[in-house]
Amino acid sequence: MKQGRFVVIEGLEGAGKTTAIQTVQQWLQEQGHPLVQTREPGGTPLAEQIRTLVKSVQQERVSPVTELLLMYAARAQLLDNVIRPALERGDWVLADRHDLSSRAYQGGGRQIPDEVLDPIRQLVLADLRPDLTLYLDIDPVIGLERARARGELDRIEQEQLGFFQRARAKYLAIASSEPNIVVIDAAKPLADVQQQLRQALEQHFA
Ligand code: TMP
């Protein structure tokens, strides 16, 4: 069976994911790989509706477990309808966020323990794991400043600094123990970030 590769871009708000995605997209196209791009939460009509729900400010407190389950509901939909079929066709998938976001934001930020996360991850992901995750690391003070400069903040972006500091700590802790996650220093100038990205891709897929 043909099998594509699964590349994920991760990072806090304001880390520069959009620009990084363009760099990775260009590299993949240069290599001639057929490419499918996704984003999470979102990427299918139903999952995009869930995205709107989780990002919008609600009249009531949103329970961390509700938020977690909505993220995984959107992910299940995207995996079944887009990501798994693409990989089975032999396409490469370039994802704007994936499971690591839930581990960082809901696990780290919302402090949901691994005992709660793990069975849900198992249910939704089964044995699917990204081939490479490029994590753009940024101090949330700088990242949030950039996000604020872009315009109005959504429900999650309105969280306190401590939430993002816990999310960053979780990203870094997981990255230090999983070899397929590469930490990119996103505080560096753009050309440097682009070089780090290309280098990681070349080392990983050479
Ligand atoms: P963004 O993709 O435009 O950054 O927006 C997605 C927001 O949702 C962002 O604040 C991160 C958050 N998020 C989670 O909290 N958990 C998740 O699993 C995912 C995919 C995103």
Side-chain angles (χ1 to χ4, degrees):
M1 191 177 59
K2 280 201 300 184
Q3 187 68 35
R5 295 277 185 275
F6 186 14
V7 182
V8 178
I9 308 289
E10 286 280 356
L12 293 179
E13 355 290 297
K17 277 191 297 119
T18 309
T19 317
I21 285 164
Q22 287 166 2
T23 304
V24 176
Q25 182 192 28
Q26 203 184 346
W27 187 88
L28 293 174
Q29 279 165 352
E30 282 164 20
Q31 314 296 309
H33 299 306
L35 186 61
V36 171
Q37 281 186 247
T38 65
R39 70 170 179 182
E40 294 191 31
T44 84
L46 175 54
E48 285 292 325
Q49 290 187 56
I50 297 174
R51 178 184 179 88
T52 304
L53 278 178
V54 292
K55 284 182 78 111
S56 56
V57 176
Q58 301 291 326
Q59 302 288 337
E60 58 188 324
R61 174 182 174 269
V62 177
S63 149
V65 174
T66 304
E67 186 179 272
L68 177 75
L69 293 173
L70 286 171
M71 296 297 178
Y72 279 96
R75 183 161 302 131
Q77 197 63 18
L78 181 69
L79 279 169
D80 277 14
N81 289 358
V82 178
I83 295 180
R84 285 200 176 91
L87 294 173
E88 278 163 22
R89 282 196 306 272
D91 291 354
W92 285 51
V93 174
L94 173 56
D96 177 349
R97 298 191 182 280
H98 181 58
D99 188 56
L100 187 56
S101 281
S102 297
R103 298 167 77 192
Y105 283 79
Q106 282 67 50
R110 303 272 185 236
Q111 299 175 290
I112 296 178
D114 285 348
E115 301 85 82
V116 175
L117 272 169
D118 287 347
I120 300 170
R121 295 182 65 220
Q122 175 58 33
L123 172 70
V124 173
L125 307 175
D127 58 0
L128 187 83
R129 295 290 178 273
D131 294 282
L132 175 64
T133 298
L134 298 160
Y135 162 60
L136 300 159
D137 183 53
I138 192 89
D139 182 329
V141 173
I142 301 170
L144 289 172
E145 218 168 80
R146 289 185 189 165
R148 240 175 251 123
R150 276 200 303 251
E152 218 169 282
L153 300 182
D154 66 31
R155 185 181 62 83
I156 295 172
E157 287 165 345
Q158 287 176 17
E159 280 300 328
Q160 301 293 313
L161 181 60
F163 171 86
F164 296 101
Q165 284 167 334
R166 289 193 297 277
R168 183 194 194 191
K170 187 62 99 173
Y171 266 128
L172 288 170
I174 296 171
S176 71
S177 65
E178 296 189 12
N180 287 353
I181 305 174
V182 175
V183 179
I184 306 289
D185 184 350
K188 291 265 164 62
L190 179 60
D192 191 323
V193 172
Q194 288 172 331
Q195 200 195 339
Q196 293 179 63
L197 291 166
R198 284 179 167 268
Q199 205 174 342
L201 289 161
E202 270 151 27
Q203 274 172 6
H204 207 83
F205 296 116

